[in-house]
Amino acid sequence: MNNFTKHRIEVFGINGCHDAIKSSLVHVNKIIIERNSPADKNTKMNKAIDSLSSNLIEKIDAESFKKIVDNNRAQGILIKAQVKTFIDLPLVEKDTACYVVLDQVQDPHNLGQILRICAGGDIDGVVITERNSVSMTSAVAQVSQGGFSKVPLFCVTNINKALNHFKENDFWITSFENNIEAKNWYSIDLKGRSVLIFGGEGNGVSKQILKNSDFLATIPMSNKMNSLNVSTAVSAIVFERLRQVLS
């Protein structure tokens, strides 16, 4: 994973900022701390900051901090950083490796939630498309609650080419789509090397990607609702996969 681009972000809050400081995926450019704030008094945060150059840290009074971040959830800390997005897909050795592929997901809140879910579900990476997709932004990072610093993000020009790469590395490809030919989500074996594909808001997974998949799966619902938000669907499948791996 040597080739990557960097995206500038700003993130506030103790947990997200701490995760960013400790992450190899994130390069911290500046840390702004409100004096006598929860962040300033937090032992875990102070220990993390001690590993950085003092030139990166600026401590200011409450009034000055509020002019920069007028949000009670900031807890007195803001970081300005750059986050890596990888261009090259990984060579995989892990037998239970799993990647989530997003086909044109455009809502930053969905991507942020998905990164958070994938961090909790022990997913090895999230793959997005170069076009017609949201990339890493401050909004994505903030919503992810630190997930952006724990799960590598890969950006590809063509998902089908990416799927060929995964197939060459012995992955099974499953697309999740409402389809009469699709199996129930819990009936597919996800314990081995898996790629889980989810479509963007409105359009779903493209036809060519469906053809290139080994399995089609769906999440059955009552007739009161016929679809789920993409991040909700990802959550259901990612934690089913984790249940299978741990069982």
Side-chain angles (χ1 to χ4, degrees):
M1 299 194 301
N2 294 324
N3 293 325
F4 56 84
T5 58
K6 289 184 178 181
H7 295 267
R8 293 183 179 276
I9 61 160
E10 293 185 359
V11 176
F12 57 78
I14 290 173
N15 290 334
C17 289
H18 177 270
D19 289 343
I21 291 168
K22 302 298 287 185
S23 173
S24 62
L25 301 175
V26 182
H27 176 77
V28 177
N29 296 321
K30 191 171 186 179
I31 304 173
I32 301 173
I33 299 177
E34 176 189 338
R35 292 192 190 94
N36 298 315
S37 66
D40 195 25
K41 299 175 181 178
N42 186 276
T43 302
K44 180 177 73 172
M45 181 60 69
N46 285 321
K47 187 176 292 186
I49 290 172
D50 284 344
S51 64
L52 301 175
S53 167
S54 59
N55 295 331
L56 299 177
I57 303 162
E58 180 182 2
K59 292 195 175 185
I60 58 179
D61 58 49
E63 185 176 345
S64 299
F65 187 84
K66 190 174 182 179
K67 290 178 181 177
I68 300 172
V69 188
D70 189 11
N71 191 312
N72 292 332
R73 292 181 293 125
Q75 300 175 292
I77 187 166
L78 171 78
I79 66 165
K80 298 183 179 184
Q82 293 175 295
V83 185
K84 296 176 182 177
T85 296
F86 295 95
I87 299 169
D88 297 331
L89 292 170
L91 296 174
V92 181
E93 297 180 357
K94 184 178 169 186
D95 289 338
T96 58
C98 184
Y99 290 80
V100 166
V101 174
L102 305 177
D103 184 10
Q104 301 185 53
V105 168
Q106 299 177 343
D107 186 338
H109 286 80
N110 275 333
L111 180 56
Q113 288 283 7
I114 289 167
L115 287 171
R116 184 179 186 182
I117 291 161
C118 288
D122 197 27
I123 298 298
D124 295 281
V126 172
V127 180
I128 60 173
T129 54
E130 188 175 68
R131 294 185 178 182
N132 301 318
S133 296
V134 65
S135 59
M136 179 57 66
T137 66
S138 295
V140 170
Q142 192 65 51
V143 171
S144 78
Q145 293 291 302
F148 74 97
S149 66
K150 298 174 181 178
V151 180
L153 187 64
F154 299 85
C155 185
V156 300
T157 56
N158 185 292
I159 288 180
N160 284 297
K161 288 183 179 179
L163 297 186
N164 289 337
H165 167 85
F166 283 115
K167 287 183 177 183
E168 289 169 1
N169 281 268
D170 298 322
F171 279 77
W172 292 101
I173 314 297
T174 304
S175 285
F176 293 87
E177 182 81 351
N178 289 333
N179 188 303
I180 59 173
E181 298 177 1
K183 296 182 178 181
N184 286 339
W185 59 293
Y186 48 78
S187 66
I188 295 176
D189 186 347
L190 302 173
K191 294 190 291 293
R193 294 185 178 187
S194 299
V195 170
L196 314 175
I197 306 176
F198 300 87
E201 307 85 0
N203 295 326
V205 181
S206 68
K207 291 182 180 179
Q208 188 56 47
I209 293 172
L210 292 175
K211 289 180 180 178
N212 208 8
S213 301
D214 298 303
F215 305 106
L216 301 182
T218 188
I219 302 173
M221 285 175 280
S222 75
N223 57 13
K224 295 178 182 178
M225 190 65 64
N226 62 5
S227 65
L228 294 173
N229 176 279
V230 61
S231 62
T232 304
V234 170
S235 180
I237 303 304
V238 161
F239 287 105
E240 165 60 17
R241 175 256 169 193
L242 184 61
R243 182 197 68 79
Q244 291 186 21
V245 169
L246 295 178
S247 62

